[in-house]
Amino acid sequence: MQISTSRFGTIEVKPEEIFLFPAGVPAFEDLKQFFFYPIPENQAFTWLQAAADPEVAFLLADPFLFFPGYAVELPASLQEELAIKKPADALVYAVVTIPDGDIRRATANLVGPVVINPTARRGMQIVLEGTKYTTRHPLFME
């Protein structure tokens, strides 16, 4: 199917490339379907584009590349909801914010990681409670 996006133009997306976010994403609860739009030759970042809204896309980063001690513990109920049976079933990303377009000031939300089971094609943005992390960890040291 062809999906129009404001950032990447009209792109072809296979149905099996769509992830279902049953609860949507916080502040975008109406949007239930997303897909990756990878950044060529950059394994650290990818876009998560909403299928139903061309304007909504989130820049995601692999938090483990930037924060080696980062850890996410998923409650059993969320593991079940996402059909995660072992840690390898889950992809974990941090949503990146780039203030005023200045990549040097980019931050990652480590409190609200996006967790995706690529096999089950299900995803969710969770909120970690009682954590030392914040919503604005600088990605790059100055």
Side-chain angles (χ1 to χ4, degrees):
M1 73 180 86
Q2 290 196 330
I3 296 179
S4 295
T5 71
S6 63
R7 288 177 180 79
F8 319 113
T10 300
I11 53 181
E12 186 72 28
V13 179
K14 297 176 185 168
E16 61 268 22
E17 295 174 328
I18 302 284
F19 301 109
L20 175 64
F21 282 63
V25 173
F28 299 94
E29 288 82 5
D30 294 343
L31 299 175
K32 310 285 189 197
Q33 296 183 323
F34 293 84
F35 60 92
F36 286 133
Y37 188 80
I39 299 171
E41 300 179 25
N42 188 327
Q43 299 295 314
F45 298 96
T46 189
W47 288 95
L48 186 68
Q49 172 70 52
D53 188 331
E55 299 293 329
V56 177
F58 303 99
L59 181 60
L60 303 179
D62 179 342
F64 305 106
L65 292 177
F66 294 94
F67 309 100
Y70 185 62
V72 173
E73 287 194 32
L74 287 179
S77 61
L78 295 180
Q79 291 180 39
E80 186 175 324
E81 203 169 325
L82 293 173
I84 294 172
K85 295 183 175 38
K86 57 187 182 302
D89 292 341
L91 300 175
V92 177
Y93 293 96
V95 177
V96 174
T97 300
I98 303 175
D100 302 320
D102 184 354
I103 189 70
R104 295 171 298 177
R105 296 177 43 220
T107 62
N109 179 351
L110 298 183
V111 175
V114 173
V115 181
I116 296 173
N117 179 337
T119 303
R121 315 290 324 153
R122 295 179 71 89
M124 171 184 301
Q125 185 175 19
I126 66 170
V127 176
L128 303 177
E129 295 183 15
T131 177
K132 63 183 178 184
Y133 304 118
T134 71
T135 58
R136 293 186 180 147
H137 278 271
L139 277 181
F140 307 108
M141 298 293 178
E142 293 185 36

